[in-house]
């Protein structure tokens, strides 16, 4: 993913910058999808749960919260994957601080998945046991 620099050393601005940023983001999404099994699995779960957000949520705010925690899971997984790729690029050797960094990023993913599960389960319980 080489990024061409501007021929005159200036950065793109305005719409051109937005378009280029969108291209870079799409490349990152494709890279995560093609190389990260965890991301693919979480994406499948999020896609499968999306229609249920509209069934479970009784108003706009509830739907947004349900969808928001799903997006949060994918976002944190993308950050975790980026950290792992960077760490593996910096050193092919095992280093305790690189291992610790990867573990911390993985813990962040676990926390957001746990929170998302609690939000979904909590709202489901409210729906099942409210009159």
């Amino acid at each position: 993913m080489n990024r061409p620099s501007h021929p005159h050393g200036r950065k793109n601005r305005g719409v051109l910058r937005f378009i280029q940023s969108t291209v870079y983001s799409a490349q990152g999404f494709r890279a995560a999808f093609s190389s990260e099994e965890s991301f693919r699995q979480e994406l499948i779960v999020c896609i499968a749960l999306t229609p249920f957000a509209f069934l479970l949520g009784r108003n706009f705010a509830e739907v947004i919260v349900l969808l928001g925690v799903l997006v949060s899971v994918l976002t944190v997984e993308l950050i975790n994957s980026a950290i792992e790729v960077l760490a593996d690029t910096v050193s092919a050797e095992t280093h305790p601080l690189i291992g610790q960094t990867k573990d911390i990023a993985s813990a962040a993913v676990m926390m957001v998945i746990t929170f998302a599960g609690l939000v979904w389960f909590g709202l489901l319980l409210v729906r099942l046991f409210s009159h």
Side-chain angles (χ1 to χ4, degrees):
M1 283 192 283
N2 289 335
R3 296 185 180 188
S5 60
H6 193 277
H8 302 291
R10 294 180 298 213
K11 292 190 173 204
N12 293 331
R13 295 177 182 238
V15 175
L16 190 55
R17 179 186 166 129
F18 176 77
I19 291 169
Q20 196 61 56
S21 294
T22 303
V23 169
Y24 295 147
S25 296
Q27 288 173 348
F29 194 89
R30 277 193 302 276
F33 186 82
S34 66
S35 65
E36 298 294 330
E37 185 176 355
S38 295
F39 180 74
R40 287 191 301 272
Q41 292 169 346
E42 291 158 0
L43 181 62
I44 289 167
V45 170
C46 289
I47 290 169
L49 287 176
T50 294
F52 293 102
F54 295 94
L55 297 173
L56 188 57
R58 288 193 179 159
N59 57 50
F60 180 75
E62 290 180 354
V63 172
I64 291 299
V65 167
L66 291 169
L67 294 175
V69 295
L70 297 180
V71 171
S72 296
V73 167
L74 296 175
T75 301
V76 174
E77 183 60 50
L78 285 169
I79 294 168
N80 176 51
S81 296
I83 290 169
E84 288 183 4
V85 168
L86 183 61
D88 290 344
T89 301
V90 170
S91 175
E93 298 177 18
T94 303
H95 190 282
L97 291 178
I98 289 178
Q100 183 180 6
T101 301
K102 288 179 164 186
D103 291 346
I104 291 169
S106 179
V109 174
M110 182 191 68
M111 286 183 68
V112 75
I113 288 173
T114 301
F115 179 70
L118 288 172
V119 168
W120 276 78
F121 185 67
L123 196 54
L124 179 61
L125 287 179
V126 168
R127 292 294 169 262
L128 290 176
F129 296 110
S130 66
H131 19 88

